[in-house]
């Protein structure tokens, strides 16, 4: 295993212990509202601080972007870490058991390492560019499903920004017609990991932030899948509009999405 990935794993496990410890007293947590339906708790902050501390002690020069603390690392223009210390905060705060920690590293703008950790199930999803994706020690592959028939899809239903809700609902309906169903688990990082693991055949969501899926996108591509924006292009890291899946089903998903792409959703 690559030594840098090992350090990311250690940081993710440390954050996992923090999430598990606080989960026993959710009702006593201090929670702030960042914007409508967007919450941050002392857990998000404590987990991020622990991850940043571990990364900084090993890589003092590396740039770090965390959801809660923004830019908080060194000045490197080559190495950048992208962290979501708790992906699925809404679930976590409700005691709904689906959340994760996401840590990615980019080298010269390209995703190099990714870790998504589910501390409840102790599932550790990892990927290094060119070396494949793994769940614990098992190598991951996306599914081979060719058509919507029988496909299980994941998504994220907009709950903060409602600007594209009609377009989104059109897409949802188009995906429901002949698939096996659509799931909305509530942690985008894990949704991508599940596509990599073949638990979901495909996934799409609008308006994600880079920390939600930087690690997940590498997991999917290293498991043989593909990730694009809504029009099949490569601007998903900027727009946060993403479609992921195996190559064939991904193409089918893009076809279903196309009729709902107004000018603001073409990327
Ligand atoms: C959220 C989760 C959710 C997705 C949202 C994200 P957070 O992250 O990934 O599944 O639908 O768009 O913001 O706020 O819980 O870290
Ligand atoms: Ca997130
Ligand atoms: Ca978060």
């Amino acid at each position: 295993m690559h030594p840098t990935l090992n350090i990311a794993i250690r940081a993710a496990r440390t954050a996992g212990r923090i999430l598990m410890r606080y989960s026993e007293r959710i009702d006593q947590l201090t929670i702030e509202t960042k914007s409508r339906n967007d919450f941050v708790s002392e857990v998000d902050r404590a987990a991020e601080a622990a991850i940043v501390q571990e990364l900084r002690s090993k890589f003092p020069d590396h740039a770090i972007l965390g959801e809660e603390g923004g830019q908080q690392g060194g000045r490197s223009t080559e190495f950048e870490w992208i962290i979501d210390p708790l992906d699925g905060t809404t679930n976590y705060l409700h005691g709904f058991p689906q959340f994760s920690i996401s840590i990615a590293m980019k080298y010269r703008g390209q995703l190099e390492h990714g870790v998504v950790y589910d501390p409840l199930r102790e599932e550790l999803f990892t990927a290094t560019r060119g070396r494949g994706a793994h769940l614990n020690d098992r190598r991951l592959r996306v599914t081979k499903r060719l058509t919507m028939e029988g496909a299980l899809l994941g998504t994220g239903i907009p709950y903060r920004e409602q600007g594209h809700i009609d377009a989104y609902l059109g897409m949802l309906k188009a995906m429901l017609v002949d698939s096996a169903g659509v799931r909305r688990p509530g942690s985008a990082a894990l949704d991508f990991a599940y596509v990599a693991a073949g638990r979901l055949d495909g996934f799409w969501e609008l308006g994600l932030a880079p920390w939600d899926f930087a690690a997940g996108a590498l997991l999917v591509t290293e498991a043989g899948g593909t990730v694009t924006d809504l029009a099949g292009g490569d601007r998903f890291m900027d727009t946060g509009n993403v479609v992921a899946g195996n190559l064939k089903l991904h193409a089918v998903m893009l076809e279903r999405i196309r009729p709902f792409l107004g000018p603001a959703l073409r990327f």
Side-chain angles (χ1 to χ4, degrees), residues 143 145 150-153 195 198-203 244-246 249 253:
T143 64
R145 196 175 301 280
L152 187 64
L153 304 177
V195 172
R199 294 173 181 176
L200 291 171
D201 294 293
F203 170 81
N246 77 49
L249 195 79
M253 291 177 76

Side-chain angles (χ1 to χ4, degrees), residues 67 84 87 211-212:
E67 177 177 8
D84 191 337
D87 185 54
W211 43 77
D212 296 320

Side-chain angles (χ1 to χ4, degrees), residues 147-208:
T147 62
M148 275 290 177
E149 204 183 351
L152 187 64
L153 304 177
T155 190
I157 301 171
Y159 62 102
R160 295 176 192 140
E161 268 289 315
Q162 299 292 323
H164 301 300
I165 190 69
D166 291 334
Y168 174 80
L169 290 175
M171 295 173 198
L172 178 61
K173 193 169 173 191
M175 301 290 186
L176 284 170
V177 185
D178 50 358
S179 68
V182 177
R183 301 287 181 267
R184 198 291 186 241
S187 164
L190 276 182
D191 296 336
F192 276 84
Y194 283 16
V195 172
R199 294 173 181 176
L200 291 171
D201 294 293
F203 170 81
W204 89 104
E205 185 163 351
L206 275 52
L208 287 173

Side-chain angles (χ1 to χ4, degrees), residues 52-123:
V52 170
Q53 193 186 9
E54 279 206 58
L55 297 180
R56 260 204 207 137
S57 71
K58 300 285 178 200
F59 309 111
D61 301 338
H62 289 191
I64 301 177
L65 171 68
E67 177 177 8
E68 308 309 337
Q71 299 287 353
Q72 50 198 305
R75 290 163 173 234
S76 173
T77 50
E78 298 208 308
F79 294 95
E80 185 189 18
W81 293 85
I82 305 170
I83 301 164
D84 191 337
L86 170 48
D87 185 54
T89 297
T90 304
N91 282 349
Y92 184 90
L93 295 176
H94 286 258
F96 189 98
Q98 181 81 353
F99 51 84
S100 64
I101 296 128
S102 174
I103 302 177
M105 198 202 80
K106 274 186 175 177
Y107 174 60
R108 295 187 172 167
Q110 200 166 26
L111 287 165
E112 197 66 25
H113 302 289
V115 175
V116 175
Y117 181 48
D118 171 351
L120 278 172
R121 299 180 183 85
E122 295 188 10
E123 288 193 321

